[in-house]
Amino acid sequence: MSRPSMRDPEAGLHALEEIQAMLARFRVESELVHREQMVADPSRRELVEQLVAKQQTAALAPRIRSLHAADIAFVLEALPPEHRQLIWPLVPEADQADVMVELPSPVRVGLIGQMTREALLQMAQGLDTDDLAAMADELPQEVIDRVQQGLSIEEREQLRAAMSYPEDSVGARMDFEMVTIREDVTLEVVLRYLRRFDSLPDHTDQIFVVDRRGLLLGGLAITQVLLHEPETEVTNVMNAEVFRLNARDLALDAAQAFQRYDLVSAPVIDDSGRLIGRLSVSEVVDVIQEESDADVLAQAGLREEEDLFASVWASAKNRWMWLALNLCTAFFASRVIGAFEDTVERVVALAALMPIVAGIAGNSGNQTMTLFIRSLALGQVAGPNVWRLFSKEIAIAGLNGLVWGGVAGLFAWWLYADTSQGGLLGLTMMLAIVLNLLIGAMIAILVPLALDRMGRDPAMGASVLLTFSTDSMGFFIFLGLASLFF
């Protein structure tokens, strides 16, 4: 692992700025050398340019080697592909596996496609079993097969087990590095056993107690080992009710449990209760970050994570589905307005006031939807809570509609007070806002709830559907009421 910077939490950002400045300077230098050689001695141009490139690489390499693997990954993600291809060979071979693990999938796939089979094999051999399983779909099968040949029987079984679980399960995220002991030994034996390790697995806050068959009996906190008398048996101080996870549990549910109980690590068992791995807080942080990123992308209607510097064609295709839906909904909204052309022609002020009705309902609905999706993600919405929340949000929408609809109505009345239609315009405005806010609240709850019940991401395109509903229904209600009153 590269040396971390413990004093600078923004080491990656500072390194990115410095490396970008160096690359910009290198580009200017290369252009100047190219021009001078074309004029002075074109035959020596290639040799001189190679020397300049070597000098630039020599200047850049120490800066790359000084970074933590996570910071190198941050820098690579923020650079365009041609610069990634320049930086990646400078990453020390011993750190390439750690950097690959930290990279987002689209960037990792791009780098893998540029590497030779031998380079990929060397990198893959540096991966832990769980990380190798996570990247198995992105690596060539030939590389996976050759890495497996070098694994022990136990490691092969671990790899097979990790690859057999769904991507969103605890089993796909668990770590196989852990410390286990028997319940009938003393703490003195445990201490002697721990001293045999060069280092303990990261985030080891407890040792797992198992029987001869490998069944999990409990957990022994490191603090218990240090605070009790050496002659004390493990069975007398271990926690038999230790929080445990099943390999088939959802990783997101496990992450919520870690947050709820302030866990650092938790044992992972199979259906028979046998200890097969552990989940650590570092992996849980990754799960939470990935889920947060996925929710942000889903609300915007993006189907998958996208490389910032992906090709225009690939990026455009990723955005087509919801843009197409949005286009259809926009045409539908325009037809709603078209159905009331006569009313708009008679009362031209309606055209100026329509966007207000749709806009305020959309904002109110987004507030409701954000809170409801968050509650769904945290598992706080279940059973009778759903309808209680629904009733509450409807009441809030009704109250806000009366307050802000009244304000908008008074403003519309004042704005068009010099016409005979000012009073009716104000009343129409208020009623339309009240009704549209109620519709926005219903859509904001029912759409994510329906998606969640169908096993889909509740944030997937929900904002697009909400905008469609508040726009179309807002226009319909406002112009419909105007047709009745005028």
Side-chain angles (χ1 to χ4, degrees):
M1 181 71 74
S2 303
R3 182 175 70 256
S5 174
M6 302 303 293
R7 293 177 296 175
D8 187 2
E10 296 187 348
L13 182 60
H14 295 157
L16 174 62
E17 293 173 350
E18 184 177 343
I19 290 171
Q20 285 177 325
M22 293 175 71
L23 291 172
R25 187 173 71 250
F26 293 164
R27 184 178 66 252
V28 173
E29 291 175 356
S30 298
E31 290 175 354
L32 290 174
V33 169
H34 179 75
R35 292 174 189 168
E36 291 175 0
Q37 290 301 312
M38 287 298 291
V39 174
D41 189 355
S43 62
R44 298 178 54 195
R45 176 173 57 86
E46 185 176 350
L47 177 60
V48 173
E49 289 179 350
Q50 288 177 353
L51 290 174
V52 171
K54 288 182 178 180
Q55 291 176 348
Q56 293 171 349
T57 299
L60 191 58
R63 188 66 182 100
I64 301 299
R65 287 196 295 267
S66 69
L67 294 175
H68 188 279
D71 293 328
I72 296 176
F74 175 80
V75 170
L76 286 170
E77 183 181 0
L79 293 176
E82 61 272 16
H83 289 164
R84 292 173 189 164
Q85 294 172 23
L86 176 65
I87 297 295
W88 179 249
L90 304 181
V91 178
E93 292 181 354
D95 294 333
Q96 287 189 353
D98 294 323
V99 175
M100 273 291 185
V101 171
E102 297 290 342
L103 287 169
S105 181
V107 178
R108 188 163 58 225
V109 169
L111 287 176
I112 288 174
Q114 300 295 324
M115 296 173 66
T116 64
R117 284 292 186 268
E118 290 304 316
L120 281 174
L121 178 62
Q122 187 168 359
M123 183 275 297
Q125 288 172 337
L127 293 170
D128 293 334
T129 308
D130 53 327
D131 293 328
L132 180 61
M135 292 173 54
D137 292 339
E138 300 167 358
L139 292 170
Q141 187 60 44
E142 175 191 350
V143 172
I144 297 293
D145 293 340
R146 291 182 63 183
V147 172
Q148 282 183 310
Q149 293 173 7
L151 298 178
S152 65
I153 295 176
E154 181 183 6
E155 289 173 332
R156 289 182 189 177
E157 179 60 26
Q158 291 174 349
L159 179 61
R160 185 201 62 78
M163 293 175 63
S164 67
Y165 293 109
E167 184 179 355
D168 59 352
S169 69
V170 169
R173 297 279 188 167
M174 64 183 175
D175 184 2
F176 296 103
E177 291 186 359
M178 54 188 171
V179 182
T180 61
I181 55 172
R182 299 283 174 79
E183 80 278 11
D184 55 356
V185 300
T186 64
L187 297 184
E188 183 180 4
V189 174
V190 174
L191 279 171
R192 289 205 305 266
Y193 177 57
L194 292 178
R195 291 192 185 104
R196 294 169 56 187
F197 289 88
D198 293 331
S199 63
L200 293 177
D202 292 338
H203 307 294
T204 297
D205 65 321
Q206 60 181 325
I207 304 168
F208 303 126
V209 185
V210 297
D211 64 11
R212 295 183 182 279
R213 296 176 297 167
L215 297 177
L216 179 67
L217 300 179
L220 178 64
I222 297 294
T223 53
Q224 299 286 65
V225 178
L226 299 175
L227 296 177
H228 286 83
E229 294 296 329
E231 297 79 13
T232 307
E233 285 195 355
V234 169
T235 188
N236 294 326
V237 291
M238 73 178 190
N239 177 18
E241 302 299 324
V242 64
F243 180 83
R244 61 196 70 192
L245 296 165
N246 187 286
R248 301 189 184 281
D249 291 340
L250 289 177
L252 184 58
D253 292 342
Q256 292 169 1
F258 266 67
Q259 184 181 23
R260 189 180 307 121
Y261 303 124
D262 294 327
L263 301 175
V264 175
S265 68
V268 180
I269 59 175
D270 60 15
D271 294 333
S272 63
R274 187 170 61 90
L275 179 67
I276 57 176
R278 71 179 183 124
L279 192 66
S280 66
V281 66
S282 61
E283 193 65 35
V284 165
V285 170
D286 291 340
V287 170
I288 294 173
Q289 182 62 52
E290 290 170 12
E291 184 65 21
S292 176
D293 292 344
D295 284 345
V296 171
L297 293 172
Q299 286 188 1
L302 294 175
R303 294 182 296 173
E304 57 189 17
E305 186 179 11
E306 181 182 305
D307 183 356
L308 186 63
F309 295 99
S311 68
V312 173
W313 178 250
S315 297
K317 287 195 299 182
N318 189 30
R319 309 177 193 192
W320 277 354
M321 183 177 70
W322 290 103
L323 287 177
L325 178 60
N326 187 256
L327 183 62
C328 294
T329 58
F331 272 114
F332 184 85
S334 71
R335 295 317 306 148
V336 171
I337 298 173
F340 295 94
E341 285 182 358
D342 294 340
T343 304
V344 175
E345 286 178 1
R346 290 199 305 270
V347 186
V348 180
L350 295 174
L353 298 175
M354 277 191 302
I356 299 175
V357 177
I360 192 170
N363 289 334
S364 175
N366 269 319
Q367 292 172 344
T368 300
M369 180 176 288
T370 300
L371 290 172
F372 191 72
I373 290 175
R374 177 181 178 275
S375 299
L376 279 174
L378 294 175
Q380 297 172 340
V381 179
N385 285 352
V386 175
W387 301 113
R388 184 169 183 175
L389 286 172
F390 183 81
S391 302
K392 175 193 171 184
E393 291 301 327
I394 291 296
I396 293 173
L399 177 60
N400 282 335
L402 289 172
V403 172
W404 298 107
V407 171
L410 289 173
F411 182 76
W413 182 22
W414 171 78
L415 196 61
Y416 297 98
D418 56 344
T419 69
S420 59
Q421 303 164 337
L424 282 178
L425 276 173
L427 177 62
T428 303
M429 190 80 169
M430 184 191 72
L431 292 176
I433 287 177
V434 171
L435 293 174
N436 206 23
L437 257 66
L438 292 173
I439 289 173
M442 287 190 290
I443 296 298
I445 291 180
L446 294 178
V447 169
L449 184 63
L451 290 171
D452 184 63
R453 292 290 188 268
M454 292 187 293
R456 304 293 297 276
D457 185 348
M460 177 57 73
S463 61
V464 177
L465 296 175
L466 175 66
T467 301
F468 158 65
S469 302
T470 53
D471 283 357
S472 300
M473 293 306 298
F475 297 153
F476 179 78
I477 292 171
F478 185 53
L479 297 176
L481 290 173
S483 298
L484 291 176
F485 292 158
F486 295 103

